[in-house]
């Protein structure tokens, strides 16, 4: 037995050597350059896989900020990013590029320079457009002159104009490109949650954009996992849109049509009961969006208790929506609260926040006795005076 093992050892060694040589000669792409004003910062090089970011490599930057990373060249377009803390530079790779990136850390997400890849230049354009859209949305929320209705209309217009631009000038112009795939998954932040700008669950035109890129990837990048993913998203989106249209086409009893402009919310409370915001018609309501895990939560809850105790007997109610990711923690925190406490889980994908265009949490709205938004917190200087005027 020993002799057999010894005779087979050279062959085994040759196989190992061949595998090693193959791995060493596999084609690579590289990403290098310099990110200055980031001395001693940790720079991550991450693959943006279908399951989320995966760290490929990292480097501790010196005062010069130079870095160099590489990975195996992908068989189909793939996405990577350079990240320092929350600052990100997105990259698209589809062969053996030698990509060079230069940036200053404080503004690296928007002010970087990239060479060696046409796709990376287009991704940069898209990233800068998305940043500009986010800034416009933030400015809209911060404008105290806007009513709730104004905010909704302005933001809807901003997003729709953005999508029209991206569809015409990027996605439909070259659906086979990595940058078109990247555009479909861009997000905006509202209420601390990222949401797709192109949402195939709610928009037929957005489903069409996903389908166009999926079909093109079938031709140019056959059997790519990202192409399969696009097909699955488009198919599910088509099913959802068909269901929505089928429901809309049903005959509705005119006596049950609500024309009071209520933006209703239906969620389970901390006792497991389903609660509807519209059930509070006849009361002045503070619709409050809260995160109990935040540092300022205790102080804010105490302030709400004071307002609630002062006006509840006169017809004032609080309908509080928690966005805490830990539902058990939320239940323990709200067990002793006297007002209505409901919870939006992560599976709801921020649907309630989107209804009210919530940009940050905590925030609140005052609703009149018809449950119609009267003012949001940034428009209120004297909460007592506002509540009294509505009672």
């Amino acid at each position: 037995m020993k002799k057999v093992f010894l005779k087979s050892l050279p062959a085994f060694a040759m196989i190992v050597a061949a595998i090693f040589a193959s791995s060493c000669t596999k084609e690579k792409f590289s990403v290098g350059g310099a990110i200055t004003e980031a001395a001693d910062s940790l720079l991550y090089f991450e693959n943006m896989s279908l399951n989320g970011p995966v760290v490929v490599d990292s480097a501790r930057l010196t005062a010069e900020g130079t870095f160099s990373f590489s990975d195996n060249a992908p068989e189909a377009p793939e996405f990577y990013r350079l990240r320092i803390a929350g600052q990100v530079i997105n990259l698209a790779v589809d062969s053996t590029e030698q990509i060079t990136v230069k940036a200053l850390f404080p503004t690296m997400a928007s002010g970087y320079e990239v060479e060696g890849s046409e796709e990376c230049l287009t991704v940069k354009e898209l990233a800068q457009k998305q940043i500009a859209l986010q800034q416009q949305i933030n400015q809209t929320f911060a404008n105290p002159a806007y009513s709730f209705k104004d905010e909704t209309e302005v933001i809807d217009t901003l997003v729709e104009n953005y999508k029209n631009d991206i569809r015409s000038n990027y996605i439909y112009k070259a659906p086979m490109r990595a940058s078109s795939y990247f555009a479909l998954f861009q997000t905006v932040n509202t209420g601390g949650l990222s949401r797709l700008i192109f949402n195939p669950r709610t928009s037929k035109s957005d489903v069409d954009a996903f389908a166009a890129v999926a079909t093109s990837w079938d031709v140019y990048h056959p059997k790519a996992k990202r192409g399969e993913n696009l097909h699955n998203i488009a198919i599910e989106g088509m099913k959802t849109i068909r269901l929505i249209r089928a429901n809309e086409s049903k005959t509705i009893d005119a006596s049950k049509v609500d024309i009071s402009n209520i933006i209703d919310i239906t969620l389970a409370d901390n006792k497991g009961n389903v609660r509807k915001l519209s059930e509070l018609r006849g009361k002045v309501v503070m619709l409050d969006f809260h995160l109990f895990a935040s540092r300022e939560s205790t102080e804010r809850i105490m302030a709400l208790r004071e307002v609630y105790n002062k006006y509840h007997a006169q017809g004032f109610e609080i309908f509080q929506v928690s966005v805490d990711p830990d539902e058990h923690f939320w239940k323990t925190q709200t067990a002793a609260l006297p007002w209505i406490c409901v919870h939006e889980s992560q599976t709801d994908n921020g649907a309630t926040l989107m209804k009210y265009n919530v940009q940050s949490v905590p925030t609140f709205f005052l609703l009149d006795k018809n449950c119609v938004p009267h003012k949001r917190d940034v428009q209120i200087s004297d909460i007592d005076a506002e509540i009294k005027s509505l009672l």
Side-chain angles (χ1 to χ4, degrees):
M1 182 68 69
K2 185 175 181 181
K3 290 182 179 179
V4 172
F5 174 76
L6 290 175
K7 285 182 179 179
S8 64
L9 185 59
F12 175 75
M14 290 176 65
I15 293 171
V16 172
I19 294 173
F20 180 76
S22 174
S23 65
C24 289
T25 58
K26 188 175 178 67
E27 290 187 323
K28 302 270 188 179
F29 73 91
S30 64
V31 179
I35 299 178
T36 54
E37 299 187 19
D40 205 38
S41 295
L42 194 58
L43 174 66
Y44 290 96
F45 179 51
E46 298 172 326
N47 171 224
M48 299 305 294
S49 75
L50 290 173
N51 296 318
V54 177
V55 176
V56 177
D57 203 350
S58 63
R60 182 74 63 179
L61 297 180
T62 63
E64 290 77 19
T66 56
F67 65 91
S68 179
F69 300 120
S70 66
D71 199 11
N72 293 331
E75 295 179 359
E78 194 52 71
F79 300 91
Y80 292 80
R81 71 181 185 183
L82 298 170
R83 179 177 64 84
I84 300 177
Q87 291 284 313
V88 169
I89 294 174
N90 290 293
L91 304 169
V93 177
D94 60 10
S95 61
T96 57
E97 294 102 332
Q98 293 182 335
I99 302 167
T100 302
V101 177
K102 296 180 181 179
L104 300 177
F105 168 60
T107 58
M108 64 179 273
S110 59
Y112 64 93
E113 297 178 7
V114 61
E115 297 177 354
S117 168
E118 191 67 29
E119 285 299 301
C120 286
L121 285 170
T122 306
V123 165
K124 177 185 175 182
E125 289 179 17
L126 290 166
Q128 289 176 329
K129 285 176 176 287
Q130 184 273 335
I131 290 171
L133 173 63
Q134 184 69 65
Q135 290 173 343
Q136 290 176 310
I137 290 173
N138 294 346
Q139 291 167 3
T140 302
F141 279 116
N143 190 338
Y146 282 139
S147 66
F148 176 79
K149 182 180 179 182
D150 293 335
E151 285 178 354
T152 303
E153 291 178 351
V154 170
I155 291 170
D156 286 348
T157 300
L158 288 172
V159 172
E160 196 56 41
N161 288 342
Y162 182 88
K163 291 199 292 186
N164 288 336
D165 172 29
I166 303 304
R167 271 193 293 257
S168 299
N169 297 312
Y170 296 89
I171 294 175
Y172 289 134
K173 191 174 182 180
M176 79 295 294
R177 293 182 60 177
S179 51
S180 295
Y181 183 104
F182 176 83
L184 290 175
F185 294 94
Q186 286 190 295
T187 62
V188 287
N189 189 284
T190 58
L193 299 174
S194 293
R195 297 180 180 82
L196 287 171
I197 296 172
F198 289 91
N199 190 344
R201 293 185 176 184
T202 60
S203 168
K204 174 62 167 58
S205 59
D206 291 356
V207 172
D208 291 343
F210 272 84
V213 178
T215 302
S216 186
W217 274 52
D218 278 348
V219 176
Y220 288 89
H221 316 294
K223 298 182 180 181
K225 288 184 178 180
R226 290 189 181 275
E228 294 176 8
N229 182 52
L230 286 174
H231 269 295
N232 292 335
I233 292 173
I235 290 169
E236 288 302 314
M238 290 175 187
K239 290 179 181 178
T240 302
I241 296 301
R242 280 198 293 268
L243 287 173
I244 291 173
R245 289 183 172 179
N247 289 332
E248 288 175 347
S249 66
K250 292 178 181 177
T251 302
I252 301 174
D253 184 347
S255 65
K256 296 181 179 180
V257 175
D258 185 359
I259 57 173
S260 61
N261 293 322
I262 293 176
I263 305 174
D264 210 357
I265 296 173
T266 304
L267 291 170
D269 67 14
N270 50 1
K271 298 178 178 62
N273 301 313
V274 175
R275 306 301 296 266
K276 294 175 70 71
L277 178 62
S278 57
E279 293 172 355
L280 298 178
R281 270 185 289 197
K283 296 179 180 290
V284 173
V285 180
M286 175 184 285
L287 173 58
D288 184 63
F289 294 89
H290 189 77
L291 181 67
F292 285 89
S294 64
R295 291 183 179 179
E296 67 270 20
S297 175
T298 301
E299 182 178 354
R300 188 169 185 275
I301 291 298
M302 290 176 64
L304 290 178
R305 273 186 179 274
E306 183 178 343
V307 174
Y308 182 87
N309 292 339
K310 189 183 297 185
Y311 297 109
H312 178 63
Q314 301 175 46
F316 173 76
E317 186 58 81
I318 296 177
F319 190 97
Q320 188 170 58
V321 181
S322 161
V323 294
D324 288 84
D326 188 335
E327 187 172 352
H328 176 72
F329 172 77
W330 160 70
K331 286 183 178 180
T332 61
Q333 294 295 305
T334 59
L337 295 181
W339 52 77
I340 298 169
C341 300
V342 298
H343 180 259
E344 180 167 65
S345 68
Q346 290 181 310
T347 58
D348 295 322
N349 200 29
T352 304
L353 297 174
M354 292 177 70
K355 284 182 179 180
Y356 279 84
N357 281 326
V358 173
Q359 170 65 18
S360 61
V361 175
T363 190
F364 70 84
F365 298 81
L366 272 185
L367 313 183
D368 63 22
K369 291 185 178 181
N370 291 315
C371 280
V372 174
H374 171 64
K375 288 183 180 180
R376 66 186 305 149
D377 52 359
V378 295
Q379 299 169 316
I380 297 173
S381 57
D382 187 337
I383 185 64
D384 292 281
E386 292 293 344
I387 292 174
K388 289 176 181 178
S389 70
L390 295 172
L391 286 172

